[in-house]
Amino acid sequence: MDVKKVAVIGGGTMGNGIAHVFAMSGIPVNLIETKQEFADRALSTIEKNLDRMVKKEKINEDKKNATLGSITVFLDVSEGVKDVDLVVEAVPENIDIKRSVWEKVDAAAPDHAILGSNTSSISITKLASMTGRPEKFIGMHFFNPVPVMKLVEIVRGLETDDETYKIVEETSKKLNKVPVPVNDAPGFVSNRVLMPMINEAIFCVGEGVATAENVDEVMKLGMAHPMGPLRLADFIGLDVCLDILNVLYEGFKDPKYRPAPLLVKMVDAGKLGNKTGEGFYNYD
Ligand code: 3HC
């Protein structure tokens, strides 16, 4: 099966990036949000990122306009998924919100439609069990900023079938991404490796080993990371980092994943990184 139309549910940081790359690859997108103002914000972010690509001469104005023109906004999940071949869900990492969305999708999407989640921390097998088609359920884990990062971690749940995997693998290549298959496990591969590094960097700051700036300098200049781990933690969102560490800690019952006390405190204080204007750095 060729994916001819996709529904992207959620227009936040990840959702608008996912809609951007599908639309730019020529696959029309139904972008589903809960309120018009959220949809407008998503469209304006996509337009801004397309403008950046026009300025860098990666695409021309025609391509920008065609990309924007192939995104249609829906404020109702059932309406937005009824004529698509693939659904990619990028709603907040809250199990009750996800359940409510997946129940609606399962009831309204065509029988042949593949159901993909961009979750960074919730078990694909668990999400799949919220639908009547676990064999068609799969993780499509994109990375921020989606238009730039090449990876799609494709996560197979316990019951995901080979055909679903193949279609999602092919579709990811059409987006000019590199699909990497992994099996369902806490944090998959990406966050199981990334989050302990970020956590350890936070321990270093909390224990007074070095300042946030100096920890980041060590990793940027010594290990050639494009961003230091603390700047990256701010970029991802400290609340998201904490949620993922808790999933690792609870999933493996291994103390090596315990969240750094400083991370917990910063989340309690509402210092969540770029999105709140303050984390390890200030973003005024
Ligand atoms: N849309 C389109 N293009 C964008 C963009 C966006 N949102 N953001 C940046 N770009 C482009 C720029 O135009 C620029 O293009 P060029 O190479 O043609 O000049 C290029 O990306 C680099 O951007 P900048 O020059 O503005 O800035 P930097 O060189 O500092 O790069 C960065 C910014 C790409 C964010 C880089 O710092 C980076 O790669 N950081 C690491 C990001 C990362 O690790 N992401 C993964 C997070 S984990 C995750 O998402 C998983 C989740 O589960 C937690």
Side-chain angles (χ1 to χ4, degrees), residues 143 149 187 189-207 211-212 214-236 238 241-242 244-245 248 255-260 262-263 280:
F143 293 80
M149 306 306 278
V189 170
S190 53
N191 282 321
R192 183 169 175 178
V193 175
L194 174 65
M195 287 302 158
M197 181 191 69
I198 288 177
N199 201 35
E200 212 53 46
I202 301 172
F203 271 114
C204 284
V205 176
E207 291 170 11
T211 61
N214 286 341
V215 170
D216 278 353
E217 284 296 274
V218 166
M219 298 307 286
K220 275 196 307 185
L221 302 180
M223 285 71 178
H225 288 199
M227 275 175 166
L230 299 162
R231 174 88 55 193
L232 181 58
D234 278 356
F235 183 63
I236 292 169
L238 299 189
C241 294
L242 180 59
I244 298 172
L245 279 161
L248 290 166
K256 77 179 175 185
Y257 299 110
R258 75 208 179 287
L262 177 59
L263 173 62
F280 289 99

Side-chain angles (χ1 to χ4, degrees), residues 14 16 20 45-46 48-50 52-53 56 58 93 118-121 141-149 153 188 190-191 194-195 198 225-227 231-232 235-236 240-241 244:
M14 298 306 288
N16 74 58
H20 174 139
T45 303
I46 294 170
K48 199 178 73 198
N49 287 329
L50 288 167
R52 189 204 291 254
M53 299 177 104
K56 302 246 171 179
K58 287 184 184 163
E93 294 286 274
N118 178 59
T119 182
S120 53
S121 58
H141 186 203
F142 290 84
F143 293 80
N144 187 19
V146 180
V148 180
M149 306 306 278
E153 196 177 33
F188 316 133
S190 53
N191 282 321
L194 174 65
M195 287 302 158
I198 288 177
H225 288 199
M227 275 175 166
R231 174 88 55 193
L232 181 58
F235 183 63
I236 292 169
V240 175
C241 294
I244 298 172

Side-chain angles (χ1 to χ4, degrees), residues 1 15 22 31 41 59 66 89 92 102-103 108 110 118 142 145 183 198 202 208 222 236 243 247 254 263 284:
M1 180 190 75
F22 271 101
L31 178 62
R41 197 187 305 161
I59 58 170
E89 165 269 311
W102 280 119
E103 283 172 1
N118 178 59
F142 290 84
N183 290 321
I198 288 177
I202 301 172
I236 292 169
D243 282 349
V247 165
D254 186 330
L263 173 62
D284 291 334

